[in-house]
Amino acid sequence: MALFRKRESEMIPYDREAQQPAVRRSICTGEMTLGFTDKDSGRFHEYLLARDARELEDFCRRTGVTPETLRTIY
């Protein structure tokens, strides 16, 4: 059924020339927000609130980056 198809196999569309995948982490709680930063302004655009490391790995796979090269903002 198309209504309940898995999103995990789809690539996340973003402008590779103007944006960079990033994770914003809370120092106090450890909460992770996945999204993209503008290369020009540095502004963070939220995409997903990650609940665990599996969602972080899935985000990296779907954006085509490795967890080591993912930009971290505190």
Side-chain angles (χ1 to χ4, degrees), residues 2-71:
L3 181 63
F4 298 107
R5 65 185 169 151
K6 288 191 172 191
R7 287 182 16 171
E8 296 177 3
S9 62
E10 298 175 4
M11 294 298 288
I12 299 171
Y14 69 97
D15 186 3
R16 295 180 187 271
E17 295 176 7
Q19 294 179 325
Q20 176 182 7
V23 59
R24 185 171 59 190
R25 292 183 184 241
S26 170
I27 294 173
C28 298
T29 63
E31 179 180 83
M32 294 184 294
T33 304
L34 307 173
F36 302 95
T37 58
D38 286 332
K39 290 183 179 179
D40 294 332
S41 66
R43 183 174 177 205
F44 184 77
H45 300 277
E46 295 180 4
Y47 178 75
L48 173 72
L49 180 64
R51 294 174 290 213
D52 56 14
R54 184 185 63 79
E55 289 184 344
L56 176 65
E57 292 172 5
D58 182 53
F59 178 77
C60 289
R61 184 181 51 75
R62 292 175 58 199
T63 56
V65 298
T66 61
E68 295 82 25
T69 61
L70 189 65
R71 181 176 177 199

